[in-house]
Amino acid sequence: MSIAVCLLRSLLLLSLILPIVVYAVEPLLPKQQSLLLGVKINGRLQEGVEEFIEQDAVLFVTPEQLVDMGLIVPDVAVLPSSGLIDLTRINGWTYQLDSATQIVSFLIPNSSLVSQQLNAGRTEVFEPITQRDFGAIFNYDSQFTDYNGQVSSSNVGNFRAFGPFGVIESSVVQTHSQSFSRTVRLGSTYSTSDPASLRTYNAGDFINGGLSWTRPIRMIGVQMATNFGLRPDLVTYPRPGMTGEVAVPSSVDIFVNGLRQLSEKVEPGPFELSQLPVSSGGGNISGVVRDVSGRETTRTLPFYTSTALLNEGLDSLSMELGSVRRRYATESNDYAQSAASLSYRQGLTQRLSLETHVESTRGLVMGGVGADILIGTLGILSASVATSTFADEQGLQYGLGFSRTTPYLSFGFNVLKANARFYDIAAVNDDAMPRTTIRANLGIPLSGVGSFSMVYAKKLVNLYTPEDYTKTQYVQISERISSSSLSANLSVSLPKNAYAFITSFHDFGANAGSGMFVGMSIPFGHNATFSASSSNAGGNADHTVEARQSVVQTGDIGWRLARQTGNQTRNDLGLSYKSPWGLVGAEAERGSLGNSYRATAQGSLSMLDGHFFASNTVYDSFAVVDTDGLPDITVLQENRRVGKTNADGLMFVENLRAYESNRLSIAPDDVPMNV
């Protein structure tokens, strides 16, 4: 038989057998279909629908879908071929599919539910800065005085130019009198910031980074430092929270030290409240859960937090390299030998923050470590130790402190001690090193009355006499100066928002003495106060009576009337006016030692987008509102009227908050109907 005939017969036989095999195997292959279903979890219908895969009456879902449904992904095997989870394999989970309503109902233990996050307050959404315009600001503060015919003046100027390149800033102070005239440059710095990395870079004059147990110095050079101010929405220290669980729809009220901070509805299941907006200190958090039947359950937890701690995983770094600056505000360019420093802090846990500092200059190396520890809910324990090498001698410094702040009692102490061989950069550059520093404080709120506080401070300093003021060589003999004092203050609240106070002190030093200061203040009118005070120290007594009205916003007129008797006799009269273009004032004084007259002016000159503006001093940020040429349009800041646009349709708004959302708007009623 030929090969062709055999091949033909084989194909014919295969065509007869193949349909039979396919028919027999087909029922064994699983059938899959996609279902769009509503989801009900523990009786609560979720928003929207989810896509499920059904195979042999079993539902499958992806891990990502479980997360979207507010469920914790269980520790079960995911099918490798499809990446799906078999819902029948999850222990403790049951479900039922209602084909008529196309809803799948789950019964799931609360331990598998993601906790509902309750919002403890308004959270600012950080938006990166995408536009950086060119502009400039010049702040000035001028004062002219005539005292018994002798005229003197003092002027402080600060100039800032900014744009996509960063910020260039320079400050200068000028003083003039009949005896001398001097102009001193305070500082010149170029800086740029990156909010994404929380880094600020400086070149020029700056103050180096430091810790509570180090002494920062002024330098010229380059600096890189962490700047948390670039992210005002960032919580830098641990804050307390609370967790709970409800079986039925309920409401939750959260109280911090008796003040309501939150009230929200919660669905059945666990809930979590984190990062409560509390300030540094301790107290109690109370959670009141009220269900649909009106039954209440209260839970109270103590807490303690402090800005001395860093949030877990958060760190702060400051590095500097340059030269030490001396005689600030006296000389413009007095720079000593080169120096370098590094400071670093890290939040290791919610209860422990570690820190280190290293600095060096010619002939000196100093370094140390420190820690801030939260002890239960009692307070913050701080400790540090540092060592130095200078002139072939090893020095040691150590510190220990504890602080506790609560609404009912606050106290703390801090001891920092260095031996005679310990030096830092400041000590090498003619700034005497404190050998012992002690501070202790006590504060007791008097419920419904006021508060009482006490502070004890002691400082021991070795003053070295330089052989040559142009060098950093010291003689072996030094003069030890010790000072210590104890002060106490009692403040009492009076009706009509008035208050009174008594402050007393005693100096335990060589010039031992005691003193007392007594006073009271009574508000009246819109923004005015009347005050009276009396002081007695070292046998000298002074008594002062004063009435004052302060300027707060544009258009305010301020005034001051005062009379002082006792050791000196003086009568003062002052007026001030806060205009849209600056704050001006005048003051006259007649006293037993002579008469004086003073004129002051403070303000700012700014340029943005080719326009120039005169305004009050710009301390932070500013903006220009442009209504496309429409004059007399009311401008609102946070729904508060701040002024109207000028004849060119422009208005300058000062004192905005840098790196935050500032809400500016206009009054729509001022806009013509055809615009």
Side-chain angles (χ1 to χ4, degrees), residues 461-543:
V461 181
N462 287 349
L463 292 180
Y464 291 86
T465 304
E467 291 180 345
D468 185 344
Y469 283 94
T470 63
K471 301 179 181 180
T472 57
Q473 302 293 327
Y474 297 93
V475 297
Q476 297 299 321
I477 300 175
S478 66
E479 180 184 2
R480 175 171 291 188
I481 297 179
S482 176
S483 64
S484 59
S485 63
L486 175 67
S487 62
N489 176 267
L490 174 65
S491 298
V492 179
S493 299
L494 301 175
K496 304 295 183 180
N497 294 324
Y499 74 93
F501 60 91
I502 301 175
T503 300
S504 62
F505 71 91
H506 179 73
D507 187 354
F508 298 95
N511 301 320
S514 300
M516 180 174 290
F517 190 65
V518 182
M520 66 178 300
S521 177
I522 304 173
F524 68 93
H526 174 64
N527 219 9
T529 58
F530 171 80
S531 62
S533 62
S534 179
S535 64
N536 191 323
N540 297 320
D542 289 300
H543 314 283

Side-chain angles (χ1 to χ4, degrees), residues 207-209 213-219 323-327 336-341 357 359-362 364-366 388 390 397 422-435 461-464 466 471-472 474:
I207 299 176
N208 76 323
W213 43 272
T214 67
R215 299 196 298 170
I217 59 172
R218 293 186 179 274
M219 299 178 61
S323 299
V324 179
R325 182 172 185 179
R326 302 184 300 182
R327 292 191 286 180
Q337 64 267 28
S338 60
S341 67
H357 177 83
E359 61 183 48
S360 177
T361 187
R362 187 176 59 191
L364 168 74
V365 175
M366 189 275 277
S388 70
F390 178 66
Q397 173 187 275
F422 183 83
Y423 287 86
D424 58 9
I425 295 179
V428 172
N429 287 275
D430 307 337
D431 189 358
M433 185 78 202
R435 297 306 170 188
V461 181
N462 287 349
L463 292 180
Y464 291 86
K471 301 179 181 180
T472 57
Y474 297 93

Side-chain angles (χ1 to χ4, degrees), residues 167-179:
V167 179
I168 297 175
E169 181 175 6
S170 186
S171 300
V172 64
V173 58
Q174 185 271 338
T175 55
H176 174 77
S177 67
Q178 292 182 343
S179 58

Side-chain angles (χ1 to χ4, degrees), residues 422-466:
F422 183 83
Y423 287 86
D424 58 9
I425 295 179
V428 172
N429 287 275
D430 307 337
D431 189 358
M433 185 78 202
R435 297 306 170 188
T436 301
T437 304
I438 301 175
R439 178 181 172 86
N441 66 279
L442 172 68
I444 305 175
L446 305 177
S447 179
V449 178
S451 63
F452 174 77
S453 62
M454 294 181 64
V455 176
Y456 172 77
K458 180 177 181 179
K459 196 170 188 178
L460 178 63
V461 181
N462 287 349
L463 292 180
Y464 291 86
T465 304

Side-chain angles (χ1 to χ4, degrees), residues 43 290 329 416 519 549 572 590 603 621 672 674:
R290 184 181 297 104
L416 190 63
Q549 177 168 287
D572 291 326
R590 300 188 64 181
S621 292
N674 62 340

Side-chain angles (χ1 to χ4, degrees), residues 311-332:
N311 247 335
E312 183 175 357
L314 195 64
D315 62 2
S316 173
L317 174 66
S318 179
M319 296 191 302
E320 297 84 18
L321 178 64
S323 299
V324 179
R325 182 172 185 179
R326 302 184 300 182
R327 292 191 286 180
Y328 174 77
T330 302
E331 296 289 340
S332 298

